[in-house]
Amino acid sequence: MNTRASFGSKLGIIMAAAGSAVGLGNVWRFPTEVGANGGAAFILVYIVCILLLGLPVMLSEFLIGRHTHANTVDAYRQLAPGTWWVFQGYLGVFTAWFILCYYCVVSAWTMKYMVSAFCGQISAISDSAEYFAHFTGSPLEPVIYLLVIFIFTHFIIIRGVQKGIERFSKVMMPLLLLIIAILVVCSFSMPGSRAGMKFLLMPDFTKITSKVVLSALGQAFYSLSLAMGCLCTYASYFTDDAKLVKTAGSVISIDTTVAIMSGFIIFPAVFSVSEVAPDAGPGLVFITLPKVFQMAFSEYPIFVWLFALMFYLLLLIAALTSMISLHEPVTAFLHEHYKIGRQKAAVIVTAVCVSLGILCTLSFGPLADFKPFFGMGFFDFFDFVSAKIFLPVGGIIICLFTGWKLDSSLIWNELTNDGRIYIPKLFFWLFLFIIRFLAPVAIALIFANELGVFA
Ligand code: TRP
């Protein structure tokens, strides 16, 4: 056990975990949800969900991982040997694997858009919807980008936990935060950006419906990389002096800041171009934004180039660090559980995910009419099964496991580093209450909502 890898520093731990959390979910999915659910009111509900449910569930994953220092399957096996709880470990590995298979598709798009932005093509697009459909629908180009992005991810993974994941995150996350700051300032300075700020800052409470609350809760879990093996596996590399509550607090703050700032980049820009509606849906980032960049800086093409380049670079960094965090739990599981060499394990994961990823990519092109899974193509199927079924089920099981199966003294010892750090008793009791009662019920509601029970 002593030879097992670990992160080298507390900053490295925070940057790696934040790298997992900050991803397409923040820059692509969050603004889309904000647009679809009425702006500021959604953001308020989202923040409540993060604090009330995201924090306790993240802490559970941290303490399970750090206590066992093992991959998710062996973690549950150590804590509850011979019971069906081990199923959750396998589910975590499966979920990571399934998410990776379709997450890589959108990540590959961000790489294509970054390259296009760099080559000055974004400023020259005349019909951005056509451009997007043409690219995603072609049989070869998206596959090439997919291969490139996977080779990159693979390279980081095989360099290991400290030299690969930690070092990459420590360089990329500050760069990402810097780009965000620059883009926010640019976006604010656009004429007409006030309407966008108003949309994000003035809550209209009449817009808060049960659908908005459930969407916010789902978004909170997705954005924090919760309810599967990701953070649990990263936490297994935490050192014994890492402070779990403080780390979770930092990761949550970074993740939420990036999500809200992405809103502040996108909406003032979108509103400054009055022809474009804020609730443009999933195409917002790839179809609407190129148009917005062009119109907003129509007199200064150099700014179109710069803004687009920085924006898609931001998206690419966010996507890459999350892809790494989805790759690692599966690699760690194969490596430790089946005693396969780490390099070989990584090759297996990459090969399988690339193959399935290609099928997902092609479901926007040549395989568009191939819908073997209850009328869904590959991309939609992987998305549906992992994000809509595995994640909520995993979330409920993690809460029940921590709340009802684990000894509360074990939890207390992990959260306080065996009594070395102070944690208010009230916080601890609140944590137990949420993890035992509130969180499982809330997640069950999201699950039911996603399955259309309340439709
Ligand atoms: N949280 C990441 C994002 O915001 C995506 C992600 C990485 C994820 N790992 C995950 C989502 C695990 C759910 C579960 O894009």
Side-chain angles (χ1 to χ4, degrees), residues 19-26 95 99 103 219 221-228 230 255 318 322-323 325-326 391:
S20 167
V22 174
L24 297 171
N26 302 58
T95 313
I99 294 184
Y103 200 85
Q219 172 62 20
F221 272 66
Y222 190 88
S223 185
L224 293 176
S225 304
L226 291 180
M228 48 147 289
C230 257
D255 188 72
S322 294
M323 271 185 72
S325 82
L326 289 162
L391 275 189

Side-chain angles (χ1 to χ4, degrees), residues 160-176:
V161 174
Q162 241 180 63
K163 290 207 185 113
I165 303 175
E166 182 171 352
R167 199 177 280 175
F168 184 72
S169 312
K170 258 164 106 173
V171 175
M172 287 300 161
M173 292 310 288
L175 177 63
L176 181 141

Side-chain angles (χ1 to χ4, degrees), residues 50-60 62-63 243-250 252 402 408 411-417 421-436:
I50 290 269
L51 292 177
L52 210 59
L53 294 164
L55 180 65
V57 177
M58 185 179 281
L59 281 177
S60 314
F62 276 3
L63 66 91
K243 297 178 175 139
L244 299 188
V245 180
K246 210 167 150 194
T247 306
S250 311
I252 285 180
T402 312
S408 48
I411 301 177
W412 175 256
N413 288 341
E414 276 305 320
L415 294 184
T416 61
N417 289 2
I421 39 181
Y422 169 75
I423 283 180
K425 270 264 157 43
L426 180 67
F427 176 87
F428 182 64
W429 292 120
L430 200 64
F431 169 75
L432 282 187
F433 170 75
I434 292 177
I435 220 75
R436 282 187 182 161

Side-chain angles (χ1 to χ4, degrees), residues 70-92:
N71 64 80
T72 36
V73 171
D74 292 329
Y76 285 89
R77 188 157 279 164
Q78 271 185 40
L79 288 169
T83 62
W84 63 267
W85 291 109
V86 178
F87 165 80
Q88 170 57 22
Y90 286 101
L91 185 67

